[in-house]
Amino acid sequence: MFALVTEKAYGQHRSYFDALDNEDHGLQWLRLADDGVLHGPSNAHPEVGWLSSDVFFGGLIDRFFEIVEAAPEFRWLQSAAAGVDLKEYQRLMSRGARMCNAHLTAIPIAEFVLRAVLDVFQDAGRWRAAQAEIRWEHHNFREVWRSRWLIIGLGAIGAETARRAQAFEAHITGVRRHPTGDEPVDAMISPAEMPAALPEADVVVLAAPATPETENLVDENFLSAMKPGSVLVNIARGKLVDDEALLRALEGDRLATAILDVFNTEPLEPDHPYWTHPKVVLTPHSSGGGIGRWDRGAELFCDNLRRLLAGEPLVNEVSSMQLLTTDLPFALGSQ
């Protein structure tokens, strides 16, 4: 069986591939280099492939799918991303190929949220400023302990965030349209019940996908219902927030801070008010950048490849129904 991976992923995770080779599955590796050249036996076509993170960010995605779609016997794709909305996925599955997605960034995003909220609650900038000015200065700060969190979207990212906030003994209310019953929260409510929960929340985390139903979810009414001094965190998609409404709300006393990692336009325009607003903490869509996601991706690919060869159920297999229902709000994580 020929398996398609990138040259970079093959080199970075060689131990995982060597372990598969030692198990004598009869695998041969087709390696896609950064320049688009495919290394391996000539005229070979892959049957399986790993769409690793470097494909998305290294400019190889078109070349990767060109190879896959030209392979007449291609039967399984492992993606490093959670999203399943690429048209190439639909084309592959319409041919009978199977596909699995991944939730590799849930851990770093959840860690990012806790770090960012702690930074705001503790007003850590005052310590950094005092150190820079060589001043020995104390200040009091808010605690996460017994704070109340509203997490909108309880997919992989929302759930990982909830677990970490609970470790600080925060009270977590989750919002999800179709609860499974095992979410790591203290209370679960439906989207219809969300407005009543906003006035109680010290921290509101947006972790839902961008859909027609969630576009501009955070509007004038949403913001006016939030608790005075609360913190808004958006690690979902920029489309969930009405920027003009948020800027107006930040001029008042209701929101203490908006922690924003995603925006309606990316990169964010250089003259956008968010850059210099004193109540905005801005990062360039980087909350999922934890390097542990690379090893987790390799482990998942190799585990699923073993399962495929053994005829066992695959982890995170995507159904054709999921491709048709990715617009259901609160059903999946956002990244």
Side-chain angles (χ1 to χ4, degrees):
M1 175 186 288
F2 291 106
L4 175 64
V5 297
T6 66
E7 190 80 70
K8 182 176 182 179
Y10 185 80
Q12 187 172 3
H13 304 291
R14 185 62 182 269
S15 61
Y16 294 96
F17 300 119
D18 286 346
L20 283 169
D21 290 339
N22 291 337
E23 294 166 13
D24 196 22
H25 294 292
L27 292 167
Q28 296 187 65
W29 303 102
L30 300 176
R31 305 184 306 278
L32 180 60
D34 288 344
D35 59 4
V37 174
L38 187 63
H39 297 283
S42 60
N43 300 319
H45 294 289
E47 293 180 57
V48 300
W50 179 24
L51 190 64
S52 50
S53 298
D54 57 300
V55 177
F56 290 97
F57 299 105
L60 286 174
I61 193 161
D62 290 339
R63 176 62 174 145
F64 185 96
F65 278 111
E66 176 187 337
I67 295 168
V68 166
E69 293 183 351
E73 298 181 1
F74 191 85
R75 60 188 178 113
W76 173 65
L77 177 70
Q78 174 67 61
S79 173
V84 294
D85 54 350
L86 289 181
K87 62 183 183 299
E88 289 86 355
Y89 297 158
Q90 298 172 2
R91 288 201 295 265
L92 283 176
M93 292 185 69
S94 69
R95 289 171 41 188
R98 301 168 71 183
M99 176 188 160
C100 296
N101 66 348
H103 300 286
L104 309 178
T105 61
I107 289 172
I109 292 174
E111 292 182 1
F112 169 94
V113 171
L114 266 295
R115 191 275 315 160
V117 171
L118 282 166
D119 206 52
V120 170
F121 271 29
Q122 295 182 359
D123 198 3
R126 290 181 61 180
W127 284 317
R128 289 189 283 269
Q131 180 182 357
E133 298 171 10
I134 316 178
R135 285 186 290 108
W136 186 266
E137 181 179 280
H138 296 273
H139 70 269
N140 296 321
F141 52 83
R142 299 168 68 181
E143 299 174 358
V144 174
W145 178 72
R146 289 190 178 178
S147 61
R148 300 184 71 88
W149 291 47
L150 182 67
I151 301 181
I152 303 172
L154 258 293
I157 294 168
E160 292 292 347
T161 302
R163 291 187 185 96
R164 284 156 179 75
Q166 280 189 325
F168 286 80
E169 298 186 50
H171 180 282
I172 313 299
T173 298
V175 182
R176 199 176 198 185
R177 186 174 294 277
H178 302 292
T180 60
D182 60 355
E183 290 87 356
V185 297
D186 299 290
M188 178 63 70
I189 63 175
S190 69
E193 299 172 288
M194 184 174 59
L198 283 169
E200 303 298 322
D202 298 293
V203 179
V204 176
V205 180
L206 305 178
T211 72
E213 290 85 354
T214 60
E215 186 170 353
N216 287 335
L217 173 71
V218 179
D219 59 9
E220 202 84 46
N221 292 333
F222 184 107
L223 293 160
S224 63
M226 289 181 67
K227 182 178 181 178
S230 57
V231 175
L232 176 70
V233 184
N234 189 8
I235 41 77
R237 290 291 184 266
K239 289 183 178 180
L240 272 67
V241 175
D242 180 336
D243 289 330
E244 294 303 319
L246 178 55
L247 286 167
R248 288 192 295 270
L250 288 169
E251 295 307 315
D253 297 327
R254 190 158 294 276
L255 265 71
T257 305
I259 298 169
L260 306 176
D261 186 55
V262 288
F263 306 90
N264 274 290
T265 301
E266 296 185 2
L268 187 65
E269 305 95 321
D271 58 348
H272 199 286
Y274 284 154
W275 283 107
T276 56
H277 201 291
K279 294 169 72 173
V280 171
V281 176
L282 182 157
T283 46
H285 204 148
S286 301
S287 61
I291 60 176
R293 73 189 191 278
W294 298 329
D295 275 332
R296 288 192 294 275
E299 290 169 3
L300 178 61
F301 168 65
C302 292
D303 178 42
N304 265 340
L305 183 49
R306 290 187 181 96
R307 288 169 176 266
L308 181 76
L309 294 169
E312 298 174 355
L314 303 179
V315 177
N316 294 338
E317 182 161 10
V318 176
S319 69
S320 56
M321 184 59 67
Q322 280 177 273
L323 293 181
L324 295 173
T325 58
T326 53
D327 61 340
L328 289 177
F330 316 116
L332 298 171
S334 61
Q335 301 198 30

